[in-house]
């Protein structure tokens, strides 16, 4: 299934166009903040960075038909009206917008390494077109998640529709070898007490889980074999080779009920945290430095989860530079691109004490 819009060309055509228009830039340095149009910049980056970037996060304009500005008198006040200094305009027709994004997604994919990931922050008005587009460009097997991001408190809209509290983040990988650091979240005290509701003789909190898990395995494999005369219940298999149960039992880590039912003991103080699910609550700053500035902690999580130390992280719709700052703080290299002089000013302020090279694309021949 492919998306159709006016002006669409093939994947290879987009690359040919980029290569033939690319300016030869000697990207000397490790991290960059680049002022310029991201198609032109990415076309030039291809020379040095094709298949080299481990993580791309983007939060492009959402095709809102609005002009976003920063009020001159109060730095913290950001409006989406036509008053104040224009930060960026988001006023393309739908077809032009889809073409503009398609062309950029192609170049992003070319720049991503084989262990690379792309996170696209978008709203639900455009997000479903992006899903089809990205399935086409990356392959639907490289779709990883559609993350629901709760962005605000409930609002009282006049519209004859439900309130809107969420946007979405589409997560794709270049291959199936993406960096995945299995970041977990800690449970708070109440949740820990609820989950680990038993206390042993030494005062340690614990819970118990069954020895078996859903699904049958090949009866000849160890996880399908009887253990101490017991078989896994129908439709289930042992969680692990039953030899491990003997070891756990010898350490007192199996709890036997009065009726002889064994369960594995799990201690709260050894709990590594919960797996992160696909509904995130990361509200955006109340006093942003830049229109549509995203929550820093969310970007910190994305950087930690899908890149390693010294990976290159790119945000080519960088805005206030939150993703770049998250990369820098986590010891990653970064490439930030924005066409807006206002955005570049905010980024430079936020990255004041960080090492990077600034490139102004408009000043290049
Ligand atoms: C929604 S904002 C990004 C906000 C950012 N995520 C943050 O947390 O501050 C989108 C940004 O994309 C930039 N932009 C739009 N079109 C661009 C283009 N063709 N090349 C580079 N930047 C572009 C805009 O200037 C704007 O700063």
């Amino acid at each position: 299934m492919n998306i159709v819009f006016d002006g669409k060309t093939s994947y290879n055509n987009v690359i040919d166009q980029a290569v033939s228009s690319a300016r030869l830039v000697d990207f000397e340095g490790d991290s960059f903040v680049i002022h310029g149009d991201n198609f032109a910049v990415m076309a030039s980056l291809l020379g040095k960075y094709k298949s080299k970037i481990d993580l791309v996060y983007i939060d492009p304009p959402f095709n809102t038909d609005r002009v976003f500005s920063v009020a001159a008198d109060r730095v913290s006040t950001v409006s989406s009206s036509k008053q104040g200094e224009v930060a960026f305009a988001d006023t393309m027709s739908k077809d032009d917008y889809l073409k503009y994004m398609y062309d950029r997604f192609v170049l992003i994919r070319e720049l991503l390494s084989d262990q690379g990931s792309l996170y696209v922050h978008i709203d639900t008005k455009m997000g479903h077109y992006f899903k089809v587009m990205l399935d086409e460009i990356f392959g639907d097997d490289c779709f990883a998640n559609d993350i629901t991001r709760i962005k605000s408190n409930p609002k009282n809209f006049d519209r004859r529709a439900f309130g809107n509290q969420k946007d979405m983040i589409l997560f794709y990988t270049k291959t199936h070898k993406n960096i995945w650091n299995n970041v977990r979240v800690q449970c708070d005290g109440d949740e820990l007490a609820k989950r680990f509701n038993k206390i042993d003789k030494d005062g340690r909190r614990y819970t118990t889980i069954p020895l078996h898990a859903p699904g049958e395995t090949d009866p000849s494999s160890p996880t399908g074999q009887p253990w101490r005369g017991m078989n896994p219940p129908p439709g289930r298999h042992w969680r692990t080779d039953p030899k491990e149960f003997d070891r756990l039992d010898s350490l007192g880590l199996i709890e036997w009920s009065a009726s002889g039912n064994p369960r594995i003991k799990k201690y709260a103080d050894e709990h590594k945290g919960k797996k992160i699910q696909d509904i995130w609550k990361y509200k955006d700053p109340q006093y942003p430095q830049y229109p549509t500035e995203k929550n820093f902690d969310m970007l910190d999580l994305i950087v930690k989860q899908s890149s390693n130390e010294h990976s290159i992280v790119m945000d080519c719709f960088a805005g206030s530079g939150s993703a770049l700052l998250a990369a820098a703080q986590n010891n990653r290299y970064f490439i930030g691109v924005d066409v807006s002089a206002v955005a570049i000013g905010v980024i430079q302020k936020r990255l004041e004490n960080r090492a990077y090279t600034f490139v102004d694309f408009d000043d290049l021949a």
Side-chain angles (χ1 to χ4, degrees), residues 34-42 57-62 68 87-90 92 100-101 104 121 284-285 288-296 298-299 315-323 337-344 346-347 350:
I34 306 172
H35 181 206
D37 169 66
N38 50 17
F39 187 87
V41 173
M42 286 193 283
Y57 166 87
I58 59 166
D59 166 31
F62 287 7
F68 291 85
F88 66 96
D90 181 18
M92 278 181 228
Y100 148 96
M101 289 309 303
R104 283 154 180 83
H121 206 138
D284 289 331
Q289 303 156 77
Y290 189 74
T292 72
E293 180 181 334
K294 297 296 177 290
N295 183 300
F296 180 80
M298 176 186 77
L299 289 156
D315 182 348
C316 53
F317 291 89
S320 65
S322 303
V337 187
D338 207 291
V339 75
S340 157
V342 177
I344 295 294
V346 176
I347 295 171
R350 292 184 87 189

Side-chain angles (χ1 to χ4, degrees), residues 286-360:
Q286 229 183 329
Y287 301 105
Q289 303 156 77
Y290 189 74
T292 72
E293 180 181 334
K294 297 296 177 290
N295 183 300
F296 180 80
D297 292 338
M298 176 186 77
L299 289 156
D300 189 59
L301 165 67
I302 292 172
V303 165
K304 287 190 164 92
Q305 187 65 277
S306 291
S307 68
N308 291 328
E309 276 205 11
H310 309 304
S311 283
I312 304 170
V313 176
M314 181 172 83
D315 182 348
C316 53
F317 291 89
S320 65
S322 303
L324 314 180
L325 188 60
Q329 282 191 3
N330 285 292
N331 226 358
R332 276 64 166 162
Y333 300 121
F334 56 85
I335 299 177
V337 187
D338 207 291
V339 75
S340 157
V342 177
I344 295 294
V346 176
I347 295 171
Q348 288 183 319
K349 221 161 92 193
R350 292 184 87 189
L351 295 177
E352 209 163 35
N353 299 316
R354 307 279 169 182
Y356 67 88
T357 305
F358 175 68
V359 182
D360 198 332

Side-chain angles (χ1 to χ4, degrees), residues 21-284:
S21 67
R23 288 180 230 172
L24 278 181
V25 183
D26 193 6
F27 287 102
E28 254 188 66
D30 294 321
S31 293
F32 297 90
V33 172
I34 306 172
H35 181 206
D37 169 66
N38 50 17
F39 187 87
V41 173
M42 286 193 283
S44 296
L45 286 170
L46 281 175
K48 183 172 171 192
Y49 289 102
K50 184 174 155 59
S51 304
K52 292 281 191 313
I53 295 180
D54 284 340
L55 170 63
V56 177
Y57 166 87
I58 59 166
D59 166 31
F62 287 7
N63 198 226
T64 54
D65 198 25
R66 287 157 85 185
V67 175
F68 291 85
S69 58
V70 181
D73 52 341
R74 278 162 56 201
V75 181
S76 61
T77 305
V78 163
S79 79
S80 56
S81 75
K82 290 198 162 107
Q83 284 143 30
E85 190 180 0
V86 170
F88 66 96
D90 181 18
T91 52
M92 278 181 228
S93 73
K94 196 158 154 190
D95 279 286
D96 286 353
Y97 176 78
L98 291 175
K99 174 170 170 47
Y100 148 96
M101 289 309 303
Y102 180 91
D103 292 356
R104 283 154 180 83
F105 284 140
V106 168
L107 298 192
I108 288 170
R109 186 173 178 280
E110 289 296 297
L111 289 166
L112 278 175
S113 71
D114 283 353
Q115 52 177 3
S117 301
L118 167 65
Y119 289 74
V120 181
H121 206 138
I122 189 68
D123 68 4
T124 47
K125 201 161 65 66
M126 280 297 135
H128 300 96
Y129 296 99
F130 280 15
K131 170 72 172 64
V132 179
M133 192 185 274
L134 289 164
D135 277 356
E136 180 185 329
I137 294 172
F138 280 72
D140 54 10
D141 60 320
C142 287
F143 165 68
N145 282 113
D146 162 3
I147 297 158
T148 293
R149 200 269 307 220
I150 300 186
K151 60 180 179 175
S152 63
N153 293 328
K155 289 183 214 137
N156 230 345
F157 288 120
D158 287 338
R159 280 190 310 140
R160 293 164 72 86
F162 300 107
N164 167 235
Q165 253 190 292
K166 66 166 196 215
D167 54 22
M168 63 203 282
I169 301 169
L170 295 169
F171 166 27
Y172 281 76
T173 61
K174 172 91 171 259
T175 68
H176 299 140
K177 294 183 288 183
N178 56 304
I179 296 171
W180 185 253
N181 292 322
N182 210 5
V183 177
R184 294 185 164 249
V185 272
Q186 293 309 317
C187 301
D188 62 28
D190 285 351
E191 197 180 348
L192 217 60
K194 226 188 219 167
R195 278 180 167 227
F196 298 88
N197 59 351
K198 300 182 171 194
I199 298 180
D200 76 3
K201 61 176 176 15
D202 300 318
R204 289 175 74 199
R205 281 200 166 274
Y206 74 101
T207 187
T208 60
I209 59 166
L211 271 59
H212 41 78
E216 278 180 19
T217 46
D218 176 352
S220 65
S221 87
T223 57
Q225 298 297 308
W227 178 65
R228 298 197 185 167
M230 285 176 282
N231 282 310
R236 299 181 72 88
H237 65 283
W238 299 128
R239 280 179 189 275
T240 171
D241 184 331
K243 281 190 203 134
E244 173 65 6
F245 299 153
D246 287 326
R247 190 185 73 83
L248 292 175
D249 200 26
S250 69
L251 295 171
L253 292 173
I254 294 208
E255 185 171 81
W256 295 85
S257 72
S259 59
N261 179 30
R263 286 174 72 89
I264 301 170
K265 289 165 99 172
K266 293 278 178 192
Y267 280 94
D269 52 19
E270 289 169 354
H271 185 57
K272 293 197 185 83
K274 295 183 289 186
K275 185 167 172 84
I276 299 174
Q277 305 297 313
D278 61 359
I279 299 180
W280 296 1
K281 199 174 196 171
Y282 283 112
K283 293 180 192 159
D284 289 331

